[in-house]
């Protein structure tokens, strides 16, 4: 048979397979949103980022009730999120009437607050939301790069100077969020994006095929050494697709291939459970027993990050290996007939499985998994499935 004809047949088969997965994920998106609309929709106090992203990204979610709830959520946050105005620290948990319950001594509540305000501005065009987003972003940058005192974390004399990858990773996500279709903010935060990418890349130890993904001790201004030899492929895959976005924006092909190798392929192959399938939550870099009790559990969000990363990497590079890995993770995640993340009876996903893939916790929501978290369930929160799944022909 003609080789050209075989290639066309392979392309058509691939197109059909991707169309099936696109339809399946679209159905899952609808199911997840229906679940939260029934059980968690708050028209009075609302929720912001997810509703806004759905509203402006999908025609079928261009609904007035979503927009109204997003606006209500934004106004609620403006009134109550800050713990001690005019200070910028935001509460992690508020009561329904706006009283602070818990504050984290990190930047992440403020990061998600910034994402929400920026997304709300993109939907409504109301500048006070965008002004709030930029003001908070600049405060976060000050905490990270100049003075962390405002975070409320005491500077104890015995505390080692550390640099977790989560901080530059989250900031890089904010650079992408705020710079989307905004040339002024793209230029404003360009240097910050470069700084974040450099910090993330430092978490690859030179000359080693290992990543110490958890935490580093900063020994000097230009060097890091491993403090905890813990691998967490979840955050590495997440950082991987953030870095792919960065490399694409910079037009840096060499960086793109480096990210695919070190932030996608390496953590996947070291973190995939060869016996039961799925991604381990934690591993020790030297294959010793991790100290985290949940190390061998399978959580919903690492598999979400992996699917996004591999689909994005394939769309950008055309490497069929990445598409095969997307299929591998997706088949594990969506598998029917055995306990997995999806709940085919009542909808939404269970978040926490044991190593064998059986549900450990039957809750659908909690402090870190809910409709209001930016990746509470990846089909409803993923910002990037739709544009990347539209690239149905194999990329050049």
């Amino acid at each position: 048979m003609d080789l050209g004809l075989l290639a066309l047949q392979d392309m058509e088969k691939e197109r059909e397979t991707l169309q099936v997965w696109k339809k399946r994920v679209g159905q899952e998106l609808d199911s997840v949103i229906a679940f939260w609309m029934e059980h968690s929709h708050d028209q009075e106090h609302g929720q912001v980022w997810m509703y806004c992203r759905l509203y402006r990204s999908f025609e079928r979610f261009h609904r007035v009730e979503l927009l109204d709830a997003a606006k209500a959520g934004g106004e609620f946050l403006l009134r109550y999120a800050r713990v001690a105005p005019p200070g910028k620290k935001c509460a992690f948990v508020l009561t329904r009437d706006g009283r602070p319950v818990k504050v984290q001594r990190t930047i992440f509540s403020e990061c998600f607050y910034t994402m929400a305000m920026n997304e709300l501005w993109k939907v409504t065009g109301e500048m006070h939301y965008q002004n709030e987003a930029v003001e908070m972003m600049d405060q976060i940058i000050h905490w990270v790069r100049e003075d962390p005192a405002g975070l409320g974390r005491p500077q104890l004399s015995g505390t080692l100077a550390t640099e977790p990858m989560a901080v530059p990773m989250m900031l890089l996500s904010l650079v992408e969020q705020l710079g989307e279709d905004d040339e002024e903010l793209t230029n404003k935060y360009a240097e910050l994006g470069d700084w974040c990418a450099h910090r993330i890349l430092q978490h690859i130890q030179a000359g080693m095929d290992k990543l110490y993904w958890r935490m580093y001790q900063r020994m000097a201004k230009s060097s890091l050494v491993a403090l905890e030899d813990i691998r967490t492929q979840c955050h590495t895959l997440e950082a991987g697709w953030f870095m792919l976005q960065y490399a694409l924006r910079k037009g840096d092909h060499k960086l793109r291939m480096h990210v695919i190798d070190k932030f996608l392929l390496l953590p996947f192959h070291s973190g995939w459970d060869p016996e039961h399938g799925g991604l381990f939550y934690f591993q020790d870099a030297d294959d010793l027993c991790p100290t985290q009790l949940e190390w061998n559990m399978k959580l919903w969000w690492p598999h979400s990050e992996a699917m996004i990363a591999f689909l994005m990497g394939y769309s950008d590079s055309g490497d069929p290996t990445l598409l095969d890995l997307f299929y591998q993770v997706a088949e594990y995640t969506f598998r029917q007939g055995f306990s997995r993340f999806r709940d085919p009876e009542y909808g939404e996903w269970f978040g926490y499985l044991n190593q064998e893939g059986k549900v450990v916790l039957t809750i659908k929501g909690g402090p870190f998994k809910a409709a209001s978290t930016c990746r509470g369930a990846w089909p409803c929160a993923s910002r990037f499935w739709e544009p990347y799944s539209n690239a149905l022909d194999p990329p050049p």
Side-chain angles (χ1 to χ4, degrees):
M1 184 177 289
D2 183 79
L3 292 179
L5 180 59
L6 284 173
L8 287 174
Q9 290 176 343
D10 288 343
M11 289 174 62
E12 184 59 30
K13 182 178 180 181
E14 188 171 284
R15 173 190 289 272
E16 292 173 357
T17 303
L18 283 169
Q19 285 282 21
V20 168
W21 275 108
K22 181 178 179 179
K23 181 179 179 181
R24 189 171 185 180
V25 170
Q27 292 170 340
E28 192 68 17
L29 170 62
D30 294 345
S31 173
V32 168
I33 296 304
F35 177 92
W36 290 113
M37 289 291 289
E38 179 181 356
H39 299 291
S40 185
H41 182 70
D42 186 342
Q43 192 65 40
E44 181 181 359
H45 297 308
Q47 52 183 282
V48 188
W49 188 92
M50 188 185 73
Y51 276 2
C52 288
R53 179 63 68 155
L54 290 170
Y55 183 87
R56 75 181 181 94
S57 300
F58 302 93
E59 184 63 33
R60 65 187 183 276
F61 293 114
H62 203 77
R63 306 177 193 166
V64 66
E65 66 268 26
L66 296 186
L67 181 59
D68 288 345
K71 289 179 178 179
E75 293 301 319
F76 179 85
L77 291 176
L78 285 173
R79 287 195 303 272
Y80 299 118
R82 295 190 186 180
V83 178
K88 302 291 194 243
K89 201 73 186 77
C90 291
F92 177 67
V93 179
L94 295 164
T95 63
R96 181 167 174 76
D97 59 357
R99 290 171 293 145
V101 175
K102 180 179 180 180
V103 178
Q104 292 184 317
R105 294 175 292 181
T106 63
I107 62 168
F108 302 116
S109 294
E110 293 73 27
C111 288
F112 292 120
Y113 177 87
T114 301
M115 291 175 66
M117 291 298 150
N118 176 256
E119 193 68 25
L120 190 54
W121 168 72
K122 288 173 180 174
V123 169
T124 67
E126 297 180 22
M127 278 304 300
H128 70 288
Y129 297 127
Q130 179 70 334
N131 293 338
E132 185 72 11
V134 173
E135 186 178 322
M136 184 63 80
M137 178 68 167
D138 292 343
Q139 176 63 70
I140 293 168
I141 296 169
H142 174 79
W143 283 330
V144 171
R145 300 187 67 177
E146 298 178 33
D147 183 5
L151 294 175
R153 183 184 296 119
Q155 301 298 303
L156 303 177
S157 60
T159 302
L160 296 172
T162 59
E163 183 165 303
M165 189 172 68
V167 170
M169 183 180 75
M170 191 68 222
L171 281 179
L172 189 61
S173 178
L174 285 178
V175 168
E176 180 69 26
Q177 168 82 36
L178 272 67
E180 181 189 10
D181 299 324
D182 191 320
E183 185 177 357
E184 181 180 350
L185 289 184
T186 295
N187 294 332
K188 177 177 179 178
Y189 297 124
E191 185 276 332
L192 175 64
D194 295 341
W195 181 88
C196 292
H198 176 71
R199 285 296 193 275
I200 291 170
L201 290 170
Q202 279 191 292
H203 285 252
I204 299 176
Q205 294 294 282
M208 299 176 64
D209 285 331
K210 288 184 179 180
L211 294 180
Y212 294 99
W213 299 311
R214 178 71 183 262
M215 189 170 292
Y216 288 82
Q217 179 181 355
R218 180 165 289 283
M219 301 297 291
K221 287 187 177 180
S222 60
S223 66
L224 296 172
V225 298
L227 177 62
E228 294 182 75
D229 294 350
I230 298 296
R231 299 198 305 247
T232 170
Q233 39 281 342
C234 342
H235 285 300
T236 308
L237 288 161
E238 182 181 21
W241 63 266
F242 291 177
M243 288 292 291
L244 282 177
Q245 286 182 296
Y246 172 81
L248 182 63
R249 189 169 63 249
K250 302 285 282 189
D252 191 333
H253 175 75
K254 183 178 179 181
L255 176 61
R256 182 186 71 183
M257 300 310 296
H258 182 69
V259 169
I260 287 174
D261 182 40
K262 299 300 185 185
F263 286 82
L264 272 63
L265 297 177
L266 177 59
F268 177 82
H269 289 304
S270 65
W272 187 260
D273 182 348
E275 182 178 1
H276 300 288
L279 291 164
F280 290 116
Y281 196 32
F282 291 110
Q283 289 179 290
D284 183 84
D286 296 315
D287 297 321
L288 302 175
C289 181
T291 59
Q292 288 80 4
L293 299 181
E294 70 277 26
W295 72 269
N296 64 347
M297 289 180 66
K298 315 292 171 60
L299 273 63
W300 89 103
W301 69 268
H303 297 80
S304 302
E305 304 291 355
M307 285 186 281
I308 295 170
F310 290 131
L311 191 64
M312 184 182 294
Y314 166 72
S315 180
D316 190 29
S317 70
D319 184 348
T321 300
L322 299 175
L323 186 60
D324 289 341
L325 292 178
F326 164 78
Y327 291 148
Q328 183 174 337
V329 180
E331 289 290 351
Y332 174 87
T333 304
F334 283 88
R335 185 178 300 169
Q336 300 281 3
F338 185 73
S339 295
R340 285 290 187 264
F341 298 109
R342 296 182 67 251
D343 183 350
E345 184 174 2
Y346 297 107
E348 237 286 343
W349 288 18
F350 301 111
Y352 308 93
L353 312 178
N354 66 11
Q355 184 175 355
E356 290 75 27
K358 296 181 179 179
V359 175
V360 176
L361 301 175
T362 58
I363 58 172
K364 299 291 179 63
F368 302 102
K369 182 184 184 299
S372 58
T373 53
C374 80
R375 293 186 187 87
W378 83 275
C380 69
S382 166
R383 289 178 274 172
F384 301 104
W385 168 265
E386 191 71 11
Y388 284 92
S389 65
N390 280 338
L392 295 176
D393 288 323

